[in-house]
Amino acid sequence: MLGEIKGLNEECGVFAVWGHKDAAQITYYGLHSLQHRGQEGAGIVVSDGDQLSIHKGLGLVTEAFKEGELDQLKGNASIGHVRYATAGGGGLNNCQPLLFRSQTDSLAVAHNGNIVNANGVKHQLENQGSIFQSTSDTEVLAHLIKRSVYPRLEDKMTNALSMLKGAYAFAVMTEDKLMVAQDPNGLRPLSIGRLGDAYVVASETCAFDVVGAEYEREVQPGEIITFDENGMHSELFSNAAPRRLCSMEYVYFSRPDSNLDQINVHTARKNLGKQLAEESPVEADIVTGVPDSSISAAIGYAEQAGIPYELGMIKNRYVGRTFIQPSQELREQGVKMKLSPVRGVVEGKRVVMVDDSIVRGTTSRRIVRMLKDAGALEVHVRISSPPITHPCFYGIDTSTKSELIAANHTTEEMREKMDADSLSFISIDGMLKGIGRKHYDSNCGQCLACFTGNYPTEIYQDTLHPHDKITSG
């Protein structure tokens, strides 16, 4: 994925282990496979049955854990996290898991998603004497659990989660328990696997393949699963709500080798490309995709259209993060560092450029220009998601309508701005058909809020840009 030049970023990834002597090492490899979900920080908390130990750091997983540091985390249970900073900002204090110690026990929390009523709950807790050590919305859960009057941890967790609104896949660990929970709408993915007699939990199933675990099942919306000395047991903390898995997980965020709700991501993206070719055909010589997340859709488009798929762009995989201040000139250079056109492929050709989404439009414009500078006669842009016209409040960094080009311009205006010869988006119905989740309702169990503005949860005023208006449904 193109990361910061792409303009669309996910909140984070969660991984957990219960009942394995090498819990920290397995979690390290699990987080490494989830690195695409967050590159700003990583951390692991391990339990040896008596105490919790933590290590976390800024940067990639390989940067956060230096030689020998992983060996100091001893125990047979762990939770880990990779972070992309949206709510709460960056910094080591906001890196997860968050660890809290008290005179009676300790509690570690890792979270994927975004709690939309976090500010209001924080205000209430602070009025009652709570002091927050981070600006992350994740910390709210720990305070609610600790303040709960229920004796059983599962009941404390249920009580706390009932006060939260938004998208969340939580992993919570004490000295003798691991608990995972999914929000009532199931907005973020979370799956359970088996590794011998041990259990593993991950935001994506690709992490199971890396550590040698076998997929068992999804964590269901509104479900709490507890792992302890008695094994795995489940209970619901919320009444059933319509499933609303984030559509962009299929379109962009998840790795192609992951399965979401037993649908392979690569297959879904390839079908999106085929559907896009049916809806928006064009005469061209080659089809190419923007690396990496658009390759599958480009292959599907080419196959359906009967146009050769070619590697028209190469991604430089050795460009690390830079601390250079992003002036306009340097942004242009950043695209050239990360992507290079293959002149011998695109020169003198009519090119269909398939991409997964357009957020702000700046990157698409630069890529179109790059292809034309390399000699492409025409560049026809095809997008395998509908126009993103509304901000996301569930863990994606598109928080205002003003930054979304499709919210403020027609398709023709966008085409002119990016100097493309044509521009088409897949329809919402076409996207739902391509992904193929047919066993739910008319939304196919997916959140469509960024395309329609119809949000599956209440959205609170303090999360909105002053000029934005939203509806809930």
Side-chain angles (χ1 to χ4, degrees):
M1 294 184 183
L2 293 179
E4 68 272 11
I5 72 164
K6 187 71 174 169
L8 198 64
N9 288 285
E10 229 279 346
E11 174 101 355
C12 54
V14 172
F15 190 89
V17 176
W18 178 264
H20 198 288
K21 62 183 180 62
D22 297 320
Q25 286 76 11
I26 293 169
T27 302
Y28 175 89
Y29 288 114
L31 293 180
H32 199 275
S33 68
L34 299 175
Q35 188 74 85
H36 58 286
R37 299 186 72 88
Q39 299 91 43
E40 300 201 2
I44 296 175
V45 173
V46 171
S47 172
D48 64 2
D50 295 319
Q51 64 178 359
L52 301 185
S53 303
I54 186 171
H55 180 84
K56 58 184 180 178
L58 298 175
L60 304 175
V61 175
T62 52
E63 297 168 326
F65 290 87
K66 304 296 191 296
E67 185 176 353
E69 291 175 335
L70 200 61
D71 296 334
Q72 299 173 18
L73 298 176
K74 307 290 186 182
N76 65 355
S78 64
I79 61 174
H81 188 270
V82 289
R83 175 173 174 79
Y84 176 81
T86 53
L92 189 59
N93 284 345
N94 287 321
C95 283
Q96 299 182 30
L98 302 178
L99 177 59
F100 307 90
R101 303 188 190 275
S102 68
Q103 290 182 332
T104 55
D105 54 21
S106 300
L107 183 75
V109 182
H111 168 216
N112 175 28
N114 198 46
I115 300 169
V116 296
N117 66 332
N119 290 337
V121 177
K122 276 186 180 180
H123 184 70
Q124 294 175 10
L125 289 169
E126 287 176 345
N127 287 342
Q128 296 167 5
S130 291
I131 298 174
F132 288 83
Q133 60 178 270
S134 75
T135 56
S136 169
D137 59 338
T138 305
E139 190 175 349
V140 168
L141 179 67
H143 286 265
L144 291 174
I145 290 174
K146 195 61 182 174
R147 295 179 71 89
S148 176
V149 298
Y150 293 97
R152 200 171 69 107
L153 182 60
E154 289 85 346
D155 295 328
K156 291 177 183 287
M157 184 89 157
T158 295
N159 180 240
L161 293 176
S162 69
M163 302 182 196
L164 303 181
K165 305 294 182 184
Y168 52 80
F170 276 115
V172 175
M173 190 170 67
T174 63
E175 285 83 354
D176 58 359
K177 284 186 180 181
L178 168 66
M179 303 176 67
V180 296
Q182 173 75 275
D183 70 74
N185 292 107
L187 283 152
R188 292 282 160 235
L190 195 63
S191 297
I192 300 169
R194 291 295 298 267
L195 182 58
D197 294 330
Y199 291 94
V200 293
V201 182
S203 292
E204 291 184 38
T205 60
C206 64
F208 297 158
D209 298 328
V210 169
V211 302
E214 293 185 7
Y215 169 84
E216 187 129 313
R217 71 175 182 89
E218 307 267 325
V219 180
Q220 296 302 307
E223 183 181 29
I224 295 176
I225 296 178
T226 303
F227 304 92
D228 57 20
E229 61 182 3
N230 297 316
M232 182 180 91
H233 38 103
S234 164
E235 54 191 85
L236 293 176
F237 69 87
S238 170
N239 294 328
R243 184 74 198 267
R244 290 294 179 263
L245 178 60
C246 172
S247 294
M248 295 307 290
E249 291 285 353
Y250 287 103
V251 172
Y252 173 72
F253 295 132
S254 295
R255 259 178 42 168
D257 52 336
S258 289
N259 295 328
L260 301 178
D261 203 9
Q262 301 185 61
I263 293 177
N264 175 252
V265 173
H266 164 73
T267 302
R269 289 177 186 165
K270 189 175 177 182
N271 289 337
L272 289 174
K274 290 181 177 181
Q275 184 67 29
L276 185 57
E278 289 186 6
E279 293 183 0
S280 302
V282 64
E283 289 188 9
D285 302 305
I286 64 168
V287 176
T288 191
V290 180
D292 284 322
S293 55
S294 305
I295 300 299
S296 300
I299 293 171
Y301 190 102
E303 186 175 302
Q304 182 67 33
I307 302 172
Y309 169 79
E310 294 285 357
L311 201 63
M313 287 173 277
I314 297 292
K315 180 180 177 182
N316 184 350
R317 305 183 185 281
Y318 302 99
V319 177
R321 293 183 315 284
T322 175
F323 297 100
I324 297 173
Q325 293 302 311
S327 67
Q328 183 64 29
E329 182 180 351
L330 289 173
R331 285 194 191 98
E332 300 283 349
Q333 187 62 34
V335 175
K336 293 176 182 176
M337 288 174 63
K338 288 183 177 259
L339 281 180
S340 299
V342 183
R343 181 177 292 272
V345 170
V346 304
E347 190 171 21
K349 302 289 177 57
R350 298 169 298 173
V351 179
V352 178
M353 184 195 93
V354 178
D355 205 355
D356 50 68
S357 57
I358 294 180
V359 182
R360 298 166 183 87
T362 52
T363 299
S364 298
R365 183 175 66 247
R366 293 170 196 149
I367 295 174
V368 170
R369 174 48 48 200
M370 187 173 62
L371 290 170
K372 289 193 172 183
D373 287 345
L377 297 179
E378 299 174 1
V379 178
H380 301 275
V381 179
R382 295 294 181 267
I383 307 299
S384 61
S385 64
I388 297 175
T389 54
H390 293 76
C392 177
F393 303 101
Y394 302 124
I396 304 171
D397 65 340
T398 56
S399 57
T400 70
K401 269 193 173 184
S402 61
E403 63 187 314
L404 302 174
I405 187 172
N408 301 285
H409 298 280
T410 65
T411 299
E412 176 59 20
E413 288 171 341
M414 287 187 280
R415 183 201 67 76
E416 290 180 356
K417 281 180 172 290
M418 65 180 62
D419 193 28
D421 291 275
S422 68
L423 169 65
S424 294
F425 296 82
I426 197 171
S427 66
I428 290 177
D429 287 343
M431 180 187 69
L432 296 176
K433 179 181 177 182
I435 292 172
R437 301 176 82 239
K438 300 176 182 177
H439 54 292
Y440 291 98
D441 54 15
S442 60
N443 284 1
C444 295
Q446 293 170 215
C447 179
L448 304 175
C450 59
F451 314 123
T452 65
N454 187 20
Y455 295 87
T457 72
E458 183 177 357
I459 302 298
Y460 294 79
Q461 191 62 41
D462 58 9
T463 66
L464 294 175
H465 187 276
H467 301 301
D468 286 349
K469 296 180 180 179
I470 57 92
T471 58
S472 301

